[in-house]
Amino acid sequence: QVRLVESGGDSVQPGGSLTLACAGTGFTFTTAFMAWFRQTPGGGREGVAVMSGGDGNTKTYADTVKGRFTISRDNAKNTLYLQMSGLRPEDTAMYYCAARPPRAGSWNVLRPGDYDYWGQGTQVTVSP
């Protein structure tokens, strides 16, 4: 059974930092593309950061978080991370971890529909 469990969400002030974690089980974590998405009430699910499988050489970030967020993974621990700094009120959202095992075919790394597995989310709130 596949499970993705996020943790680390919290309430912080603008300019603050947080690190989210996502533990994955039930699939081959080391080779999967792993990603962070976020969603606000009434909004769509937005791709935040993506990391390729294996050595994770390929990373993609949404323009809105470039230079502030860093995605990383520890394959020995089957865990994905998102380091967030310079947080802004507009970063407030539910953050979800997603996984896509490797397979053939073209796809969009920041498109939610192209991912197979999802966590339940962790809430990040940025306010004074």
Side-chain angles (χ1 to χ4, degrees):
Q1 181 181 0
V2 173
R3 289 195 71 196
L4 293 172
V5 180
E6 302 96 335
S7 61
D10 205 345
S11 295
V12 297
Q13 294 185 339
S17 300
L18 277 177
T19 297
L20 306 182
C22 170
T25 57
F27 65 102
T28 306
F29 182 91
T30 54
T31 58
F33 268 76
M34 298 297 299
W36 289 99
F37 288 79
R38 65 187 181 186
Q39 187 169 15
T40 57
R45 196 162 288 191
E46 173 195 20
V48 174
V50 181
M51 189 169 186
S52 58
D55 54 16
N57 275 344
T58 302
K59 299 180 183 180
T60 303
Y61 295 94
D63 289 341
T64 51
V65 306
K66 280 180 182 176
R68 300 188 298 123
F69 290 11
T70 301
I71 189 171
S72 62
R73 64 195 295 161
D74 185 337
N75 287 336
K77 296 182 179 179
N78 281 10
T79 302
L80 178 74
Y81 301 97
L82 184 68
Q83 295 173 277
M84 305 185 292
S85 62
L87 283 163
R88 306 166 180 169
E90 54 263 40
D91 294 318
T92 295
M94 185 72 79
Y95 282 71
Y96 297 91
C97 170
R100 177 189 164 102
R103 61 178 180 272
S106 62
W107 61 295
N108 185 321
V109 296
L110 291 176
R111 185 164 61 199
D114 285 337
Y115 286 81
D116 300 301
Y117 309 127
W118 291 86
Q120 294 300 305
T122 187
Q123 178 67 37
V124 173
T125 302
V126 185
S127 63

